[in-house]
Every structure is written in C-alpha cells, then in structure tokens.
C-alpha cells in the first residue's frame, strides 16, 4: 500500500506538535542575557500578571513542567491523606497519571464516577458524597473536572456552576484539569472567569503544552489561601524550575496578544472540519459530540490498521473507538488528506 500523504502532522495527540511562533519568540526574548533564577525574574512576574488579567482575578500562580505534576500537587494541596477526590472514570488524574495524585497526597483516594460524554453531573456528585458518611469511607474533599474533557466535550458555564454549587453544599473543593482549557474557552466563546472562579472552581491546572508551548502548565489558585506553602510542594516534587523564565516566558508570548485563543480556535475548527469529513465516509460512526479539538470515531474493520500503514498516527485507547486530536498547527490539507485516505481504506 502506498503512502499518499507522508504526513508531517499527526492526529494522535496535540503533544506531537511543535512550539508555536509566539511561544518560541518569547523564549528567544527571554534568552537575551542573564536573569535571576527560581522565578525571581521579570518574565515570571509578567506571566503571572497576564494570567491575573486573563482571569480578571487576583489569583496566585505557579509554573510547573507538566500536567501530571500540576494536577497532583494541586490536588494534594486540597486534601489530607484520609480524603477522597471525585472524578470521572475517564479522568486523566485516574487513568493516566500513574497514581501520582495519590502519591503526592500521601494516599488520598481517587473515587471515579460514570457520566455521559466524559462529564460529571451534580446528581452523581451528590450520590458519591451521600452514599456514605461514616468514618470507614475516605472523606470526599474535592471534585475534579476536566475541561475540555477526555472525550472531547466541554462543560458549559452553568454545568460547572451546578457542580460547584453541589460541591460547596457538601464542603468540597473544585479542581479543574485544564490541559485543554484553551480549547474549551475557544469553543464556548466565554470569558475564562465564567468557566472557573465564577462557577466555583478553586484551582485550575491550565495547560500550555497542548496549546503550543514546548513545556509547562500554570497552576492557578483562585482561592489564595489554598496556595499556602505550594511553593514548597513544587520544590520538593522537583517542579521548581531553576531557569524559571523559560517556563514563564512562553506564557507571556501566548497571552499578551491572544495567541492562546487563536491556536485553540483553529485546532477546534480543524476538528470540526474533520468531523464533517468523517461523517461523509461510509462505515465510519462518530462517537462523542465533537465540541473541542478531538474527534472520536468507530472505524470499519481493518481501516485503522490501513491508515497507520499509510503513516497516520492516532490513539485507540481513550473512550473507545479511535481518537483524532487536532493540534494548533494542523492544516486543512492535513485534515483533507487524512479523510481522503480513510475514505479509500474504508471502501476496500
Ligand atoms: C495531556 C493531559 C494532561 C497532562 O499530561 P502530562 O503528560 O503530565 O503533561 C493532563 N490532563 C489531560 C486531560 C491531558 O490530556
């Protein structure tokens, strides 16, 4: 079988992509000369200020290397070892972090809930909290939401607020895994505050990597009291960057002129285009509502293998079916080439 496309870009994950020009340029600017280490530099200050502007809140901000540490350390800061964290059964903190949230919190238990389209709902939260209140059950302490979800859907502001309200009523905190927060904001077209502190989110792990940075996530505490001694947690976990300016500068590049939303919007648009193209391929069945930058589909027998033989990369292990994730730099030509190859292999 011949490779018709020989793709430069894949649909496996947005972390296959390179660094976007805005993040790259800011790193180059930060590379001019010396600056103090461990975050005492102007880039770190500027990035934190831009995040406060973006969220229209006096939040406390920390920069770490990756999402697993951001989530784990943020969750650990909300919990004691005898607490529990409620999340969706497909949540990255449960399925893809190798037990790091439990490890960094010294044993806090992750409790999983089902939910349509990768989302939790208020009734599910009520049920998990109310089914037990005795001393033998790990005391629920945090609800963790993923935005956009692992199944490529997004929580609307009122959905987050409804869960936030139930969490408050039960004395729980709300954590948000925002590895693809930018895609959710772009998809919904609302102010970032409407998806976070105004809806009851206490701490957000805001993803930079999948949005077009080389590396780095921002941990954003809307309740500053929860950030007490978080700097020590980061240092102990090996997450305090010595040359912090290179974790911070890309945020400046992304946030100062809205590049984070441009890239996310475009990735979402490419996913919408792919969705439409896949709908037209006989035998392909779309699986979850396409709301951000991922398309999930059940492919005809053998089609996945044939696509891979043509050089395409995508995942099969999340949410059933095949996942096609659009990164910030995926082009219309990439999408059309993928769809054309799929149409060919599906018709054999
Ligand atoms: C990619 C991703 C993360 C971060 O993963 P790391 O590899 O640790 O950076 C977190 N949550 C979700 C939902 C993700 O997709």
């Amino acid at each position: 079988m011949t490779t018709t496309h020989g793709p430069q870009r894949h649909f496996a994950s947005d972390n296959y992509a390179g660094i976007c020009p805005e993040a790259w340029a800011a790193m180059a600017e930060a590379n001019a000369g010396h600056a103090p280490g461990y975050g005492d530099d102007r880039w770190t200050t500027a990035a934190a200020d831009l995040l406060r502007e973006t969220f229209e809140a006096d939040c406390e901000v920390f920069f770490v290397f990756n999402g697993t540490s951001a989530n784990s350390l943020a969750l650990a800061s909300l919990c004691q070892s005898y607490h529990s964290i409620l999340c969706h059964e497909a949540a990255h903190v449960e399925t893809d972090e190798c037990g790091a949230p439990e490890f960094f919190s010294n044993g806090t238990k992750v409790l999983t809930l089902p939910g349509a389209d990768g989302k939790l709902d208020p009734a599910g939260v009520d049920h998990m909290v109310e089914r037990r209140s005795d001393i033998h059950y790990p005391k629920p302490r945090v609800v963790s939401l993923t935005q956009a979800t692992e199944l490529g859907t997004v929580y609307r502001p009122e959905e987050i607020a409804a869960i936030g309200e139930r969490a408050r009523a039960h004395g729980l905190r709300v954590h948000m895994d925002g590895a693809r927060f930018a895609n959710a904001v772009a998809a919904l077209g609302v102010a970032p505050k409407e998806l976070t502190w105004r809806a009851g989110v206490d701490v957000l792990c805001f993803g930079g990597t999948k949005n077009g940075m080389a590396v780095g996530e921002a941990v954003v505490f809307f309740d500053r009291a929860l950030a007490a001694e978080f700097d020590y947690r980061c240092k102990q976990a090996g997450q305090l960057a010595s040359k912090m300016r290179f974790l911070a500068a890309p945020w400046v590049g992304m946030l100062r002129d809205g590049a984070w939303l441009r890239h996310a919007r475009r990735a979402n648009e490419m996913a919408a285009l792919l969705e439409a193209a896949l709908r037209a391929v006989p035998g392909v069945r779309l699986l979850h509502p396409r709301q951000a930058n991922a398309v999930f589909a059940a492919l005809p027998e053998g089609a996945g293998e044939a696509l891979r033989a043509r050089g395409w990369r995508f995942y099969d292990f999340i949410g059933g079916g095949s996942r096609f994730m659009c990164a910030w730099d995926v082009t219309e030509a990439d999408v059309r080439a993928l769809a054309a190859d799929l149409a060919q292999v599906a018709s054999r």
Side-chain angles (χ1 to χ4, degrees), residues 38-343:
Y38 299 114
D40 295 327
D41 64 280
R42 68 185 178 86
W43 290 98
T44 304
T45 304
D49 284 343
L50 278 165
L51 282 161
R52 285 186 273 272
E53 231 175 78
T54 301
F55 287 97
E56 304 175 66
D58 186 27
C59 40
E60 187 78 90
V61 178
F62 300 85
F63 300 99
V64 298
F65 290 100
N66 56 34
T68 297
S69 61
N71 285 331
S72 302
L73 298 175
L75 288 167
S77 73
L78 304 178
C79 294
Q80 298 291 333
S81 57
Y82 49 83
H83 284 143
S84 54
I85 297 158
L86 277 47
C87 68
H88 192 272
E89 57 198 4
H92 197 272
V93 296
E94 158 69 8
T95 63
D96 286 300
E97 299 190 353
C98 200
E102 291 93 334
F103 176 78
F104 282 106
S105 58
N106 294 309
T108 303
K109 191 169 169 64
V110 174
L111 300 175
T112 62
L113 287 75
D117 299 328
K119 294 199 248 180
L120 296 183
D121 58 69
V125 172
D126 283 343
H127 172 71
M128 278 309 262
V129 175
E130 287 166 357
R131 68 179 190 163
R132 290 277 294 273
S133 58
D134 59 271
I135 195 134
H136 306 281
Y137 185 60
K139 192 170 193 277
R141 179 65 179 155
V142 177
V143 177
S144 177
L145 305 175
T146 308
Q147 177 78 321
T149 74
E150 286 77 4
L151 299 188
T153 55
V154 298
Y155 287 95
R156 303 194 51 79
E158 60 273 18
E159 292 177 309
I160 302 168
I163 291 169
E165 189 272 313
R166 296 317 299 148
R168 282 288 171 281
H170 293 302
L172 311 188
R173 296 295 193 165
V174 180
H175 161 262
M176 181 172 278
D177 175 349
R180 298 188 181 88
F181 183 74
N183 300 93
V185 175
L188 291 164
V190 299
K193 66 181 173 187
E194 303 296 344
L195 300 178
T196 54
W197 61 271
R198 291 257 288 225
V201 174
D202 295 298
V203 54
L204 166 72
C205 297
F206 187 174
T209 309
K210 288 171 181 156
N211 192 208
M213 289 169 36
V215 63
E217 319 279 300
V219 183
V220 182
F221 286 92
F222 299 106
D223 181 344
R224 283 180 157 257
L226 296 172
E229 300 186 348
F230 194 75
D231 45 350
Y232 287 89
R233 252 182 224 290
C234 288
K235 175 65 192 181
Q236 186 183 49
Q239 291 290 323
L240 176 64
S242 181
K243 291 184 180 175
M244 183 67 89
R245 66 187 183 282
F246 296 110
L247 276 193
W251 284 102
V252 175
M254 296 299 269
L255 294 172
R256 65 185 164 194
D257 74 341
W260 69 289
L261 278 179
R262 274 200 308 281
H263 291 313
R265 200 173 297 126
R266 176 199 174 109
N268 293 353
E269 284 166 6
M270 290 302 111
L273 188 67
L274 179 60
E275 178 194 17
L278 294 193
R279 268 191 206 292
V281 179
V284 171
R285 189 165 52 87
L286 292 161
L287 292 177
H288 308 293
R290 200 277 330 152
Q291 295 174 346
N293 61 327
V295 181
F296 286 81
L299 306 183
E301 183 81 34
E305 237 171 80
L307 268 188
R308 288 196 173 92
R310 293 185 175 209
W312 296 102
R313 295 288 170 265
F314 50 94
Y315 287 161
D316 285 337
F317 70 91
I318 302 160
S322 298
R323 186 191 78 170
F324 299 91
M325 183 66 74
C326 294
W328 66 271
D329 62 344
V330 161
T331 65
E332 199 175 320
D334 296 327
V335 170
R336 296 208 185 281
L338 171 69
D341 272 1
L342 180 56

Side-chain angles (χ1 to χ4, degrees), residues 13-28:
S13 179
D14 19 24
N15 65 11
Y16 273 49
I19 305 166
C20 69
E22 295 84 356
W24 187 257
M27 282 182 87

